[in-house]
Amino acid sequence: MIAISTTELRRNLRKYLDIANKERVIIQCGKSETYEIIPARKMSDTDRYFSDPKVVEHLQRSLQQVEEGKTMVLKKSDIKNLLQS
């Protein structure tokens, strides 16, 4: 998951639409509002993943963390190190 500002989204919309096909993209709008980019093909009430109450609860907790500013920006090298661990 990555969290970005509305300004960053405006500057690189195409980039974040492409990323949203592979991972969650959260847009922080001000201090109290967050949005998520979701490809239309993933928006289905019959989708088992998004219909799972455990997944929905996890997503809600994650959004709360974003709202509280409990996120971190990782560099490519940080991500590579995490994946190799």
Side-chain angles (χ1 to χ4, degrees):
M1 175 187 83
I2 61 172
I4 58 171
S5 67
T6 54
T7 303
E8 176 62 17
L9 178 65
R10 281 193 298 271
R11 286 185 191 143
N12 296 295
L13 178 60
R14 180 77 247 165
K15 171 185 171 181
Y16 292 107
L17 292 176
D18 290 340
I19 291 172
N21 282 314
K22 299 174 185 140
E23 65 179 294
R24 294 182 63 213
V25 177
I26 304 294
I27 300 110
Q28 181 70 44
C29 184
K31 293 191 181 253
S32 61
E33 294 183 87
T34 57
Y35 300 90
E36 181 176 1
I37 300 175
I38 302 171
R41 63 181 161 66
K42 290 186 178 178
M43 296 174 54
S44 171
D45 290 337
T46 60
D47 187 319
R48 291 185 307 170
Y49 182 78
F50 291 105
S51 298
D52 184 335
K54 290 180 183 179
V55 171
V56 172
E57 181 183 332
H58 181 77
L59 292 173
Q60 289 170 336
R61 281 195 315 271
S62 297
L63 288 173
Q64 182 66 34
Q65 289 174 337
V66 169
E67 289 172 3
E68 294 171 357
K70 296 179 180 176
T71 59
M72 69 172 111
V73 177
L74 297 175
K75 297 177 186 175
K76 267 188 178 179
S77 60
D78 295 332
I79 294 170
K80 286 180 182 179
N81 289 338
L82 284 171
L83 294 174
Q84 293 174 355
S85 298

